[in-house]
Amino acid sequence: MGMKMDIELIDKNGLRIDGRKPEELRPIKIEAGVLKRADGSAYVEWGKNKILAAVYGPREAHPRHLQKSNKAIVQVRYNMAPFSVGDRKRPGPDRRSVEISKITSEALEHVVMTELFPRSSIDVFIEVLQANAGTRCAGLTAASVALADAGIPMKDLVVGVASGKVDDVVVLDLGKEEDNYGQADVPMGYIPRTGEIVLLQMDGDMTQEELFKAMEMSMDAAKYIYGLQKEALRKRYEMIAREETEEIEGVQ
Ligand code: ADP
């Protein structure tokens, strides 16, 4: 962010480096229930990002000193595969992944009804298979669907989406070049139904007016992404219902 380079991010027609308009998202696909062994799972393709989320639990929290007597903890491990970026990434946790895990956990604890499961842990694994900017938002969006797929009681789904500023223009959902050479990136975790913001970060800088414009763009986009999340879950439930009907019919 903020590296000043002679690279044009907005062309003379007002379009972005990948041809998008300022308020346009990258293409997003969401699928629920993609893993057999996890209690819940989701797969998200968001532009060139490819992200898997798997959920286990609620189960007894280990080690025991992590247990909270009145509620469950939501433990998140965000991990980037070594092959997820151009240069092979050193495997294992680093400062960035520890930070993303923490903010994702905090965002999810706002929606999971943790008070129903004292002393338990709900474990969320976010595996970035391919990264191209915006993985924390795509990861949060995927994790939220995976939690719902696991049947974990939640107040609502959370959407992760970012907006920012490139070439002095406020834009939605920064791509890789925009992230590298732009002026600001503002990832947000948002609950469209209630209007709650459960995550807000800013890398780079922009004026207050620009920030509000960016946030509004994200909130609008979040409504659309929320629709994709619900659609993915609806398809998943339909499939389970169909499988169960077939099983019953198979017995007769
Ligand atoms: P986010 O993925 O949420 O936008 P960052 O802003 O920290 O998080 O990272 C932006 C992008 O930079 C990532 O999506 C990824 O494409 C790339 N990136 C992050 N970490 C590494 C790394 N260790 N090696 C190579 N590229 C990386």
Side-chain angles (χ1 to χ4, degrees), residues 173-246:
D173 185 26
L174 275 65
K176 189 76 182 90
E177 294 81 8
E178 295 175 326
D179 183 87
N180 285 355
Y181 308 117
Q183 292 151 299
D185 186 15
V186 181
M188 184 194 263
Y190 186 63
I191 307 173
R193 204 176 50 82
T194 62
E196 282 169 277
I197 296 170
V198 294
L199 161 69
L200 190 64
Q201 298 183 291
M202 177 148 87
D203 185 12
D205 64 281
M206 64 209 306
T207 66
Q208 193 182 70
E209 201 182 322
E210 286 166 340
L211 174 62
F212 288 158
K213 189 173 174 193
M215 286 170 71
E216 231 156 78
M217 264 189 194
S218 290
M219 289 170 179
D220 263 348
K223 287 186 202 131
Y224 165 74
I225 299 163
Y226 184 61
L228 297 181
Q229 289 176 313
K230 285 195 294 188
E231 179 63 16
L233 288 164
R234 202 179 54 75
K235 276 200 184 134
R236 174 67 181 147
Y237 299 144
E238 274 175 12
M239 207 175 78
I240 293 170
R242 208 163 41 238
E243 279 170 7
E244 277 170 2
T245 316
E246 279 165 10

Side-chain angles (χ1 to χ4, degrees), residues 33-53:
V34 293
L35 301 171
K36 267 241 165 5
R37 304 270 175 253
D39 294 323
S41 58
Y43 175 62
V44 169
E45 283 185 8
W46 184 316
K48 289 178 193 151
N49 293 309
K50 296 186 178 182
I51 296 177
L52 260 177

